[in-house]
Amino acid sequence: MDVLLTGHRGFIGRHLHRALEARGHDVQGVDLERHHSDALDFFRYDNGGYDLAIHCAANVGGRASIDGSPLAVATNMALDSWYFQWLIRTGTPRAVFFSSSAAYPVELQQPGDIHRLTEDDIDLNNPGLPDASYGLAKVTGERLAQYAEAEGCRVHVLRPFSGYGEDQADCYPFPAFIGRAKRREDPFEVWGDGSSTRDWIHVSDVVGATLAAIDHDVTGPINLGWGRATSFDQLAGYVTHAAGYTPRIKHLPTAPQGVHHRVCDPTRMLSFYQPAVTLEEGIRRALNS
């Protein structure tokens, strides 16, 4: 199978690239070429000829980027728009669109009891307020995916929660925590008051669930996560315990924090894919990498 993979040098993209090639597929990667071209240019001018397209390219870079560069992040709307136009113009029969847990209304992710987000919590006709311009771009992309489906392209829409792995950039929380633990930092810094929760899923399971959704022809939207709420204080405890020390936790209340609770209901995903890498195993792998 001939596969187009945008953002193939990025975190999710490079893992997908390896998995697709291991299956024997011919993969054309497209990523940012400095001072030259990017996926947006590709979608404008390419004439297609692929059996499957997987779109991982995006402008993002952790919470600091989402909060600090909203206009730059909003360029994802243009990128995604051209992606869907390219799919229809070239007659590409199947495609993957990575949405995000950031697409969910922030009102459902506030302090108090944890609301496990279900796919139906987003009504694309009245989606509520998503998380910053990044979430807005993802909600918009999901609506565009519906238009592409109506034009004959099969689109698999996935909503990953907090993806992580050993080779993730340290602007994201998980690798930042791993780096602090490897350096045995004491005090150990945690952004916010430490009580915010996230639903962590290892990159290998993001890839596994993506390929399983394609194999089983599940269009989605599909949450990718464990449904396990882990606070940042708990994550710090797991990481430092695995590293063999017990530092003092230093909270940074003025640092970017995002929503308070972001945890999924993974029922739809579990109907066709069972995640394999627990958070504890992911921490062990990262500390040993």
Side-chain angles (χ1 to χ4, degrees), residues 183-203:
R183 296 187 294 272
R184 302 184 72 82
E185 291 186 5
D186 189 358
F188 190 100
E189 292 186 350
V190 173
W191 289 11
D193 67 5
S195 66
S196 298
T197 62
R198 295 295 183 266
D199 189 347
W200 301 96
I201 180 167
H202 193 268
V203 62

Side-chain angles (χ1 to χ4, degrees), residues 218-229:
V218 182
T219 56
I222 300 292
N223 288 335
L224 304 186
W226 281 76
R228 173 183 175 181

Side-chain angles (χ1 to χ4, degrees), residues 167-245:
D167 59 338
Q168 190 176 29
D170 61 10
C171 59
Y172 293 92
F174 181 88
F177 276 34
I178 293 295
R180 288 170 199 156
K182 284 184 174 181
R183 296 187 294 272
R184 302 184 72 82
E185 291 186 5
D186 189 358
F188 190 100
E189 292 186 350
V190 173
W191 289 11
D193 67 5
S195 66
S196 298
T197 62
R198 295 295 183 266
D199 189 347
W200 301 96
I201 180 167
H202 193 268
V203 62
S204 64
D205 283 320
V206 173
V207 170
T210 298
L211 297 179
I214 296 168
D215 292 343
H216 293 279
D217 196 29
V218 182
T219 56
I222 300 292
N223 288 335
L224 304 186
W226 281 76
R228 173 183 175 181
T230 302
S231 74
F232 285 103
D233 274 354
Q234 287 176 316
L235 180 63
Y238 296 153
V239 168
T240 55
H241 176 75
Y245 80 118

Side-chain angles (χ1 to χ4, degrees), residues 8-289:
H8 73 291
R9 296 195 191 107
F11 177 52
I12 302 296
R14 59 180 175 263
H15 286 268
L16 268 170
H17 199 173
R18 287 195 291 268
L20 289 163
E21 288 191 331
R23 285 184 163 205
H25 300 315
D26 292 324
V27 183
Q28 171 66 53
V30 177
D31 215 312
L32 176 65
E33 304 293 342
R34 189 172 296 277
H35 306 306
H36 179 54
S37 65
D38 58 12
L40 185 61
D41 288 334
F42 180 89
F43 294 142
R44 282 173 167 165
Y45 304 117
D46 179 74
N47 291 318
Y50 298 94
D51 303 304
L52 170 69
I54 303 179
H55 182 38
C56 296
N59 190 340
V60 69
R63 193 73 233 178
S65 176
I66 289 173
D67 287 351
S69 305
L71 291 177
V73 172
T75 60
N76 290 326
M77 283 187 272
L79 177 59
D80 296 343
S81 173
W82 276 100
Y83 172 55
F84 290 111
Q85 290 181 71
W86 174 86
L87 291 173
I88 301 310
R89 189 182 77 244
T90 60
T92 303
R94 302 184 76 186
V96 172
F97 176 67
F98 281 105
S99 183
S100 169
S101 55
Y104 283 102
V106 295
E107 66 181 5
L108 300 179
Q109 304 172 74
Q110 299 303 313
D113 293 339
I114 295 173
H115 173 79
R116 282 177 167 74
L117 298 158
T118 70
E119 291 84 354
D120 292 338
D121 281 327
I122 297 178
D123 176 357
L124 291 178
N125 294 316
N126 185 23
L129 182 67
D131 187 2
S133 61
Y134 183 72
L136 179 61
K138 293 303 185 180
V139 169
T140 303
E142 290 198 25
R143 291 201 64 171
L144 297 177
Q146 290 187 329
Y147 300 144
E149 275 268 338
E151 292 287 340
C153 179
R154 194 71 163 160
V155 183
H156 308 275
V157 177
L158 306 171
R159 295 175 185 162
F161 277 64
S162 294
Y164 72 96
E166 304 87 85
D167 59 338
Q168 190 176 29
D170 61 10
C171 59
Y172 293 92
F174 181 88
F177 276 34
I178 293 295
R180 288 170 199 156
K182 284 184 174 181
R183 296 187 294 272
R184 302 184 72 82
E185 291 186 5
D186 189 358
F188 190 100
E189 292 186 350
V190 173
W191 289 11
D193 67 5
S195 66
S196 298
T197 62
R198 295 295 183 266
D199 189 347
W200 301 96
I201 180 167
H202 193 268
V203 62
S204 64
D205 283 320
V206 173
V207 170
T210 298
L211 297 179
I214 296 168
D215 292 343
H216 293 279
D217 196 29
V218 182
T219 56
I222 300 292
N223 288 335
L224 304 186
W226 281 76
R228 173 183 175 181
T230 302
S231 74
F232 285 103
D233 274 354
Q234 287 176 316
L235 180 63
Y238 296 153
V239 168
T240 55
H241 176 75
Y245 80 118
T246 308
R248 177 175 66 87
I249 301 298
K250 178 183 178 181
H251 294 117
L252 303 179
T254 61
Q257 299 175 54
V259 296
H260 197 77
H261 295 304
R262 180 165 285 166
V263 185
C264 83
D265 178 339
T267 300
R268 286 190 187 177
M269 180 192 72
L270 294 177
S271 70
F272 64 91
Y273 181 79
Q274 180 70 49
V277 181
T278 64
L279 180 57
E280 289 79 5
E281 170 62 15
I283 289 170
R284 186 194 67 78
R285 292 184 187 185
L287 287 172
N288 291 333
S289 64

